[in-house]
Amino acid sequence: MAANFSACLVPVAVLALFYLVIFPNDLSQLKSALAPCDAASKSVAAAAAADDDVDFRMFFGILNRPDFYKRRALLRMGRRYAVLVALEIITHGDILVLNCTENMNDGKTYDYFSALPRLFPAGAEPRYDFAGKIDDDTYYRLGALADTLRRKPRRDMYHGFLNPCHIDPAWQYMSGMGYIVSWDVAEWIAASPELRGREIGYEDDVFGRWLRGAGKGKNRFGEEPRMYDYLDREMYGADVNCFRHELIADTVAVHKLKDRLKWARTLRFFNATDGLKPSKMYHVDLTPRI
Ligand SMILES: *[C@@H]1O[C@H](CO)[C@@H](O)[C@H](O)[C@H]1NC(C)=O
Ligand SMILES: *[C@@H]1O[C@H](CO)[C@@H](O)[C@H](O)[C@H]1NC(C)=O
């Protein structure tokens, strides 16, 4: 069950990009598509406005600690993962379920990229220019990403963080933190079933080898130092190097956000909560606690 669930999470992040491409000038639509509370509070407000002759209304308060996120999720959504995923689909409409079992190195990347051209064939709407695959511990700043992609070729393109950094470019591939290819590359993958199972190894390295072997993705764009692994001074034994440094203003993506404190610090650094309006319904102190 857990396996199927995490297989679903990969595309969640990617669909965020689809929204970005559809609404390049309106990132607020993306925000509302991804913000559960926002969506829920809207539907509550709509229901309240719609009916005046109800028997009674109750404010239902379940007391719960801030760090019990999973329990809140369970209370909201039920017990079984299939049911949870179905409810998430109903709530957010941004999940693509791949027909494969969760695996680290065996064909998940193939299944994902080859599914896209079937879902959105040439000539059908919407038409996408790029397809991305993103780790669930990566925070992309969508405005910065849009600015950099806008000027990139729409064909034979491969964008991300070149890994391992500072070696012979012939051996580099885009790090699994997040990479984006032009749509023709996804179409080529879908039309090349022989790629599946051809090479064994770490999936993002394998992806790079597919492209290299076929002379694809020649327009390569590495975003060092604007894509990097998270670092803060409290991380024991972690140092600045070519793929890891402290947060910088001009960031495209931060990776290795492995716990909620790292997410909180990152989102705060990038002023992601600026849109929070004052309300008598809450008082939120946004200083991340250690
Ligand atoms: C999912 O994959 C399995 C095994 O490859 C196949 O038997 C099944 O028909 C597929 N289901 C769908 C809905 O495509
Ligand atoms: C966040 O907002 C503050 C105050 O407006 C500003 O000084 C800072 O540059 C912003 N940070 C980023 C990363 O844009």
Side-chain angles (χ1 to χ4, degrees), residues 19 21 31 48 68 97 100 112 116 138 156 170 179 183 186 193 263:
Y19 281 101
V21 179
K31 278 187 203 145
F68 285 10
V97 179
C100 67
Y112 168 62
L116 297 180
T138 300
D156 210 24
Y179 50 84
W183 198 255
W263 274 102

Side-chain angles (χ1 to χ4, degrees), residues 206-269:
V206 166
F207 187 89
R209 274 185 267 153
W210 290 346
L211 298 193
R212 197 158 56 236
K216 298 283 177 185
K218 285 194 292 297
N219 298 309
R220 297 204 307 181
F221 298 94
E223 284 283 3
E224 184 188 340
R226 300 175 73 208
M227 289 175 70
Y228 51 95
D229 283 1
Y230 178 92
L231 176 69
D232 70 42
R233 274 169 236 151
E234 286 160 24
M235 287 168 61
Y236 179 75
D239 258 327
V240 172
N241 58 31
C242 60
F243 60 84
R244 181 166 55 214
H245 54 78
E246 289 185 348
L247 299 170
I248 55 171
D250 189 29
T251 291
V252 170
V254 190
H255 179 225
K256 291 271 168 81
L257 298 175
K258 293 286 184 196
D259 58 58
R260 279 170 278 171
L261 180 61
K262 293 182 174 66
W263 274 102
R265 286 182 167 155
T266 301
L267 293 171
R268 185 169 161 83
F269 180 87

Side-chain angles (χ1 to χ4, degrees), residues 83-98:
V83 175
L84 297 183
V85 170
L87 288 171
E88 275 190 73
I89 292 170
I90 292 165
T91 308
H92 302 293
D94 60 357
I95 287 183
L96 161 59
V97 179
L98 296 178

Side-chain angles (χ1 to χ4, degrees), residues 98-101 196:
L98 296 178
N99 185 21
C100 67
T101 50
R196 179 204 281 279

Side-chain angles (χ1 to χ4, degrees), residues 142-181:
L142 294 178
L145 178 65
D147 286 344
T148 182
L149 286 184
R150 198 170 285 129
R151 298 185 296 270
K152 300 285 185 280
R154 306 284 164 100
R155 293 197 69 77
D156 210 24
M157 202 239 24
Y158 185 29
H159 173 274
F161 178 87
L162 285 165
N163 198 46
C165 35
H166 304 183
I167 65 159
D168 181 348
W171 300 107
Q172 287 176 311
Y173 56 91
M174 296 303 173
S175 151
M177 71 171 80
Y179 50 84
I180 293 164
V181 292

Side-chain angles (χ1 to χ4, degrees), residues 51-173:
D51 61 277
D52 278 337
D53 54 350
V54 291
D55 284 344
F56 68 92
R57 291 198 173 87
M58 179 169 70
F59 195 101
F60 200 71
I62 299 174
L63 304 195
N64 174 256
R65 277 174 33 183
D67 52 334
F68 285 10
Y69 178 80
K70 282 188 181 161
R71 189 165 306 167
R72 285 197 293 283
L74 285 176
L75 283 167
R76 286 190 187 108
M77 303 215 289
R79 291 198 185 83
R80 303 284 295 268
Y81 281 113
V83 175
L84 297 183
V85 170
L87 288 171
E88 275 190 73
I89 292 170
I90 292 165
T91 308
H92 302 293
D94 60 357
I95 287 183
L96 161 59
V97 179
L98 296 178
N99 185 21
C100 67
T101 50
E102 168 66 10
N103 57 75
M104 183 74 177
N105 297 323
D106 181 29
K108 179 166 45 114
T109 306
Y110 186 88
D111 286 328
Y112 168 62
F113 278 105
S114 60
L116 297 180
R118 282 199 299 277
L119 287 165
F120 308 103
E125 292 292 328
R127 191 184 59 79
Y128 293 107
D129 297 296
F130 301 110
K133 173 178 169 292
I134 287 112
D135 258 5
D136 64 2
D137 60 352
T138 300
Y139 173 59
Y140 264 90
R141 293 180 69 228
L142 294 178
L145 178 65
D147 286 344
T148 182
L149 286 184
R150 198 170 285 129
R151 298 185 296 270
K152 300 285 185 280
R154 306 284 164 100
R155 293 197 69 77
D156 210 24
M157 202 239 24
Y158 185 29
H159 173 274
F161 178 87
L162 285 165
N163 198 46
C165 35
H166 304 183
I167 65 159
D168 181 348
W171 300 107
Q172 287 176 311
Y173 56 91

